[in-house]
Amino acid sequence: MRAQRIFGMVGVLVTSILVAYGVYQTWPGRQVPSASVTARPSFAEPSDPGHLRVRRELCPAIDRPEVLSVLEDPPHARGTGTSYGSEPDYLLCHVTLEHAVLRIETGPTLRIAGMLAISPGAVPLTVLGRPAYFEVSRSRLHVATLAVAWRREDTGGHATIEVITTDQPAADQATLVRLAELALPHVPGWPA
C-alpha cells in the first residue's frame, strides 16, 4: 500500500515537472532565436479533424506577417496552437510571440448585447459595421479582448481577438480594432 502511494506521488511530481517545462518553453518573453516571421509549431499538432479544421480555417487569419507586425515589429513568432470546443463551430487558435500571445476564437452563440449587459467594464463599439465590445482584465495576466458580432444584427455568433501579456499592459483599443480589421475578413464564412 505504501509503495503504491509513493509511485503515485512520483507520477504526479514527474507530470508536474513536464507541464512546467512545457509552459516554460512556450511562455511569451522567453528568449528564443527565431528568424521566421510566420509561426511554426513548437509542439506536435494533433491530427484529429477539429484541430485540422482550426489549423486550416482559423489560424491563417492571424498567422500572417501583416497581422503579427501590429504587435511586434518585426514579429518573432515562436509557435501556434489550436483548439476547438464541444460545439462544432467553436474554434480557437493562438500564436505565441516573443512578448505576447495573440488569440482568435469564433463561436455560434455569443451575442454582444448580452455580454455588454453582464460586463460592466466593457466598452461598446462598432467594428467592421457590427456591434462589438472592448474590455481589459488583469489577474495574473493582462488580457485585452475585442469581441465582434458575426452579423450586423447581432443575432448570435461572434469572433473574438485577444492579446495576452505577462509583464506589460495588454494592447489598447485601437490595436485590437486594427487586428480585427486585418484578421476577421480572412475568417472563412465571415459575412461581408
Side-chain angles (χ1 to χ4, degrees), residues 21-111:
Y21 180 74
V23 169
Y24 169 75
Q25 287 295 327
T26 60
W27 194 256
R30 184 170 176 269
Q31 297 297 321
V32 176
S34 173
S36 87
V37 171
T38 310
R40 295 210 168 102
S42 57
F43 49 86
E45 185 66 32
S47 60
D48 61 87
H51 283 284
L52 292 175
R53 180 179 174 208
V54 172
R55 198 115 174 103
R56 183 180 65 247
E57 294 181 13
L58 193 58
C59 290
I62 61 170
D63 192 7
R64 298 179 301 133
E66 63 271 22
V67 175
L68 301 178
S69 66
V70 171
L71 295 174
E72 292 183 3
D73 192 24
H76 296 287
R78 295 198 357 252
T80 59
T82 64
S83 183
Y84 62 98
S86 56
E87 299 177 36
D89 292 325
Y90 175 84
L91 306 174
L92 168 69
C93 177
H94 69 268
V95 177
T96 302
L97 298 164
E98 187 174 2
H99 300 289
V101 172
L102 174 61
R103 288 177 27 144
I104 184 171
E105 75 173 46
T106 60
T109 57
L110 175 71
R111 290 185 64 240

